[in-house]
């Protein structure tokens, strides 16, 4: 017998345009509790906009977006805060706070709500650094003093520090060399498993997708054009997926050069 679980994240018919530019055009998506979903798709297809709509950072024009049955679109400030409280995000390009040392970056959320005293928060940040393979000395450095790979590890430590129930990773390996990318992929998978979190990761890197995903969905022109178990991605004859994973010029995907 199959178990019916309610999705933690539910999107139905989501539309978002910026002026005349249609970005999300009827996006449907469900993520089950504890599931790690990877979204693949070319640049400019609406991947980051989708995550921002789920977080309520961008207001979707139409459709339904629910986190644990709670509607995000047009939610009150208080409801939106409650929804966001469950979610941590690793933004594209790390987005660390330049003016804060690494440990304060990692403990930012915990310090903000004064949930933790500074001394305790620093000790906790050092623990999180260790879990992403960085030594305690890094705690007092500033983001500009770190390599790209180290910045990404710190951004990951910051995302997992509040022990979120839901994690979003936007292009976590973009700009890293393949070896460092592999390290970050392993850390993401391990962190998601350890937290038992529900995760959405956006990537255009198939190595990342295969390592992180239970399920993969492909987005094109603001809609999901294929989804299935990660292990099936190599087997599908879906023309969008085929073109994307083989990097072909010919196929249904039209490259927007503007
Ligand atoms: N705040 C914004 N205002 C206007 N256009 C935007 C905004 N955010 C994103 N876009 C446009 O929406 C499209 C999708 O963007 P995005 O979701 O960032 O793509 P990606 O799939 O690469 O993450 C792009 O054409 C981008 O220029
Ligand atoms: Mg993006």
């Amino acid at each position: 017998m199959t178990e019916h679980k309610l999705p933690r994240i539910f999107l139905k018919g989501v539309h978002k345009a910026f002026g005349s530019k249609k970005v999300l055009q009827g996006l449907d998506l469900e993520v089950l509790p504890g599931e790690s979903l990877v979204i693949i798709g070319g640049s400019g297809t609406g991947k980051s906009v989708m995550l921002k709509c789920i977080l309520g950072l961008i207001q979707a024009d139409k459709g339904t977006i629910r986190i644990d049955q709670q509607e995000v679109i047009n939610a009150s400030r208080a409801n939106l805060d409650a929804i966001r409280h469950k979610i941590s995000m690793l933004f594209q390009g790390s987005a660390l706070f330049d003016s804060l040392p690494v440990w304060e970056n990692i403990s930012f959320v915990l310090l903000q709500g004064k949930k933790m005293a500074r001394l305790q928060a620093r000790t906790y940040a050092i623990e999180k650094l260790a879990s992403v393979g960085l030594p305690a000395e890094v705690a007092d450095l500033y983001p500009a003093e770190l390599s790209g790979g180290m910045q990404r590890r710190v951004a990951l430590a910051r995302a997992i520090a509040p022990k979120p129930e839901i994690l979003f990773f936007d292009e976590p390996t973009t700009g890293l060399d393949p070896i460092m990318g592999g390290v970050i992929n392993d850390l993401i998978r391990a962190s998601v498993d350890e937290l038992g979190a529900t995760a959405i990761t956006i990537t255009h890197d198939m190595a990342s997708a295969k390592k992180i995903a239970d399920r993969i969905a492909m987005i094109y022109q603001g809609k999901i054009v294929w989804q299935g178990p990660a292990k099936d991605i190599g087997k599908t004859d879906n023309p969008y997926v085929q073109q994307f994973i083989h990097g072909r010029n010919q196929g249904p995907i039209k490259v927007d050069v503007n």
Side-chain angles (χ1 to χ4, degrees):
M1 224 174 75
T2 49
E3 204 183 332
H4 289 282
K5 290 196 232 169
L6 287 171
R8 290 213 76 170
I9 304 169
F10 175 87
L11 284 80
K12 186 92 192 154
V14 175
H15 286 73
K16 177 67 195 173
F18 297 101
S20 62
K21 188 169 178 68
K22 292 179 180 162
V23 180
L24 303 182
Q25 304 185 66
L27 193 112
D28 298 341
L29 197 67
E30 290 186 16
V31 193
L32 294 174
E35 187 177 36
S36 175
L37 175 78
V38 167
I39 310 260
I40 58 169
S43 55
T45 49
K47 303 184 299 299
S48 296
V49 167
M50 181 198 76
L51 285 187
K52 287 173 188 165
C53 286
I54 298 174
L55 282 165
L57 295 172
I58 292 177
Q59 178 91 303
D61 300 327
K62 208 168 92 180
T64 301
I65 300 177
R66 283 187 226 133
I67 304 284
D68 296 334
Q69 327 313 315
Q70 284 260 15
E71 183 59 56
V72 174
I73 302 174
N74 295 319
S76 67
R77 186 74 231 177
N79 281 352
L80 205 52
D81 282 347
I83 290 166
R84 283 185 191 155
H85 194 72
K86 301 179 184 180
I87 309 175
S88 251
M89 172 148 173
L90 195 162
F91 286 92
Q92 200 164 348
S94 300
L96 296 171
F97 304 116
D98 295 335
S99 59
L100 297 178
V102 163
W103 79 266
E104 283 190 53
N105 264 282
I106 294 172
S107 298
F108 189 78
V109 172
L110 304 162
L111 286 166
Q112 262 215 327
K114 299 204 174 57
K115 289 183 213 74
M116 225 184 239
R118 287 180 69 79
L119 194 62
Q120 195 193 351
R122 190 170 179 284
T123 308
Y124 182 68
I126 289 169
E127 255 175 54
K128 293 295 119 187
L129 278 175
S131 70
V132 296
L134 291 175
E137 298 84 83
V138 173
D140 295 312
L141 299 177
Y142 283 82
E145 297 175 277
L146 309 177
S147 69
M150 286 165 87
Q151 286 179 359
R152 212 62 64 91
R153 288 185 198 227
V154 171
L156 177 59
R158 180 174 67 179
I160 62 177
K163 299 196 171 79
E165 297 171 32
I166 299 173
L167 274 160
F168 293 161
F169 301 101
D170 194 352
E171 309 252 8
T173 60
T174 298
L176 302 179
D177 67 66
I179 294 172
M180 185 52 71
V183 170
I184 295 291
N185 288 335
D186 288 340
L187 284 170
I188 286 177
R189 185 70 232 195
S191 309
V192 169
D193 288 346
E194 197 183 309
L195 289 167
T198 304
I200 299 182
T201 305
I202 282 171
T203 185
H204 49 244
D205 171 19
M206 286 312 298
S208 284
K210 285 180 186 158
K211 219 166 215 176
I212 296 171
D214 298 319
R215 198 155 56 84
I216 299 177
M218 178 161 179
I219 186 170
Y220 177 63
Q221 292 185 337
K223 269 198 214 111
I224 302 298
V225 291
W226 179 86
Q227 56 182 312
K231 60 176 173 35
D232 292 351
I233 188 103
K235 293 185 242 163
T236 174
D237 54 9
N238 179 288
Y240 293 95
V241 174
Q242 281 287 320
Q243 187 182 356
F244 187 81
I245 65 179
H246 298 294
R248 294 191 189 116
N249 288 330
Q250 302 299 315
I253 301 173
K254 304 287 173 251
V255 182
D256 184 2
V257 289
N258 297 311

